[in-house]
């Protein structure tokens, strides 16, 4: 029996496309054995493993986005530059706090949102053991101390999702055991290889990374650092995606990570991406395991 695993990448609001992906897979009765997520991919994947239905995940997300408390967080203020919608979250963040003055002041703290506010944000995530979920699930985070990628297969869903989605500079790092953890996207944008660790024998990766195209030349050292981070992340994703058997790319690459007001469009983009690749997905899900192993071995040799 095939064990299809989903690798759901990070991308903030762009990651809501994963909901659309899950809706179509569910509707077309493509069985999902396991999910590994990073950042927003961890949030959506974890909620799906908990609820067991994509529609319930979508309803949950829209209910959360409609809450006054979410709107008061001011995420829309982090996307004021209409000329460059695909800036990294680091760049948008520092634009928002007026980098030339406020960056110096921010050196005395670990993040924009404090611990109390961050706890309130993630309080909506169910606090249940991931090992008890109906679908195999794990979430990837990055340890600031060792620099290692940590694939959490046990523990509180709320705690490990919060660690995986702890965007550096925006949310404070999360302490779990001896780890000091931030957003998994710092080391693993699309965790294509990690989902095999929880039993998948074939991997469908969903890539919602931002566009790599540049709109203007960097004007100062900070812009150069941000651009370097964009390029590093882009090429890291290309390398990691080789570990997947099939990759789909919802058309959200030109959107910002804070474009939650475009949630309906983003979810629809995920649905369209699956429908366009449905035949390939069915072939992957139904492919003989022995033949698939041979194909994966040949792919490694070529890679």
């Amino acid at each position: 029996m095939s064990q299809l695993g989903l690798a759901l990448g990070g991308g903030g609001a762009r990651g809501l496309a994963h909901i659309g992906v899950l809706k179509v897979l569910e509707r077309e009765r493509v069985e999902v054995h396991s999910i590994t997520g990073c950042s927003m991919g961890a949030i959506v994947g974890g909620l799906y493993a908990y609820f067991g239905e994509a529609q319930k995940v979508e309803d949950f997300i829209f209910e959360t986005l409609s809450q006054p408390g979410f709107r008061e967080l001011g995420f829309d203020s982090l996307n004021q530059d209409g000329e460059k919608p695909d800036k990294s979250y680091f760049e948008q963040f520092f634009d928002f706090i007026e980098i030339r003055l406020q960056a110096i002041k921010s050196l005395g703290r670990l993040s924009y949102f404090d611990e109390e506010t961050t706890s309130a944000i993630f309080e909506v995530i169910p606090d249940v053991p991931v090992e008890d979920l109906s679908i195999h699930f794990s979430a990837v985070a990055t340890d600031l101390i060792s620099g290692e990628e940590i694939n959490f297969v046990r523990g509180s869903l709320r705690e490990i999702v919060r660690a995986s989605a702890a965007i550096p500079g925006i949310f404070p790092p999360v302490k779990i055991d001896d780890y000091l953890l931030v957003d998994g996207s710092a080391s693993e944008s699309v965790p294509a290889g990690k989902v095999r660790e929880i039993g998948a024998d074939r991997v469908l990766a969903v890539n919602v990374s931002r566009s790599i195209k540049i709109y203007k030349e960097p004007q100062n050292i900070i812009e150069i650092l941000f651009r370097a981070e964009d390029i590093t992340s882009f090429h890291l994703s290309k390398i990691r995606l080789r570990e997947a058997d099939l990759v789909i790319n919802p058309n959200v690459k030109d959107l910002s990570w804070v474009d939650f007001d475009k949630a309906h469009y983003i979810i629809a983009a995920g649905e369209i991406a699956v429908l366009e690749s449905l035949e390939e997905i069915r072939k992957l899900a139904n492919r003989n395991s022995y033949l698939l192993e041979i194909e994966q071995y040949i792919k490694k040799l070529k890679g």
Side-chain angles (χ1 to χ4, degrees):
M1 182 178 178
S2 70
Q3 296 179 322
L4 178 66
L6 299 184
L8 305 182
R14 294 190 302 273
L16 298 179
H18 300 316
I19 298 174
V21 170
L22 291 165
K23 286 173 70 174
V24 176
L25 292 179
E26 189 178 296
R27 186 170 68 235
E28 297 295 330
R29 301 190 178 184
V30 177
E31 186 174 350
V32 174
H33 170 271
S34 46
I35 300 173
T36 295
C38 175
S39 198
M40 183 57 79
I43 293 174
V44 173
L47 289 173
Y48 185 72
Y50 174 77
F51 287 119
E53 294 180 27
Q55 188 58 55
K56 288 184 178 180
V57 177
E58 183 175 11
D59 293 343
F60 179 92
I61 291 294
F62 277 112
E63 173 65 22
T64 301
L65 295 179
S66 68
Q67 294 298 314
F70 181 86
R71 294 195 297 271
E72 289 170 5
L73 293 173
F75 280 114
D76 55 341
S77 298
L78 295 172
N79 187 28
Q80 295 179 331
D81 189 343
E83 293 183 356
K84 197 172 182 181
D86 60 345
K87 286 184 178 181
S88 72
Y89 43 67
F90 299 109
E91 191 167 4
Q92 295 170 52
F93 170 60
F94 281 114
D95 281 348
F96 174 62
I97 62 172
E98 299 176 350
I99 185 170
R100 289 174 178 80
L101 176 63
Q102 298 297 336
I104 296 175
K105 295 181 181 180
S106 70
L107 293 177
R109 58 180 186 265
L110 294 178
S111 59
Y112 176 67
F113 292 117
D114 60 21
E115 184 67 31
E116 183 179 356
T117 302
T118 303
S119 295
I121 293 171
F122 286 93
E123 192 174 42
V124 297
I125 303 295
D127 186 17
V128 297
V130 297
E131 53 268 35
D132 292 345
L133 299 175
S134 58
I135 296 174
H136 297 270
F137 174 76
S138 67
V140 176
T142 304
D143 179 28
L144 287 176
I145 307 301
S146 67
E148 295 179 354
E149 303 164 353
I150 312 298
N151 190 21
F152 285 96
V153 299
R154 291 184 166 276
S156 162
L157 176 63
R158 179 187 299 165
E159 188 175 37
I160 67 173
V161 162
R162 177 176 167 180
S164 183
I167 301 172
I170 305 295
F171 299 119
V174 176
K175 291 184 178 180
I176 299 179
D177 299 328
D178 294 328
Y179 302 122
L180 184 63
L181 302 156
V182 294
D183 194 320
S185 293
S187 59
E188 185 84 50
S189 299
V190 187
K194 299 299 183 186
V195 70
R196 297 187 193 276
E197 296 178 4
I198 55 174
D201 66 355
R202 60 204 67 201
V203 178
L204 171 62
V206 185
N207 179 29
V208 292
S209 299
R210 58 184 171 270
S211 172
I212 193 61
K213 64 182 179 181
I214 191 169
Y215 286 78
K216 62 180 180 180
E217 292 185 11
Q219 301 299 307
N220 54 54
I221 187 173
I222 298 298
E223 290 187 3
I224 290 173
L225 290 172
F226 288 145
R227 180 59 180 168
E229 184 266 332
D230 277 353
I231 295 170
T232 300
S233 177
F234 174 79
H235 290 291
L236 176 61
S237 294
K238 287 180 65 176
I239 294 171
R240 296 303 168 85
L241 286 171
R242 294 175 188 168
E243 300 178 82
D245 297 295
L246 180 62
V247 180
I248 61 174
N249 300 279
N251 187 24
V252 296
K253 62 182 180 181
D254 292 330
L255 297 179
S256 165
W257 73 280
V258 290
D259 276 333
F260 291 100
D261 60 325
K262 297 180 176 63
H264 286 289
Y265 169 85
I266 295 170
I267 292 172
E271 295 183 59
I272 292 169
V274 175
L275 290 171
E276 291 177 343
S277 301
L278 190 56
E279 184 176 347
E280 292 178 90
I281 294 171
R282 287 192 188 281
K283 287 180 180 178
L284 174 62
N286 297 320
R287 194 166 299 158
N288 178 278
S289 296
Y290 179 70
L291 292 177
L292 186 62
E293 285 183 16
I294 294 174
E295 291 173 6
Q296 290 168 349
Y297 178 74
I298 294 173
K299 186 177 179 181
K300 287 181 180 179
L301 290 178
K302 291 181 177 179

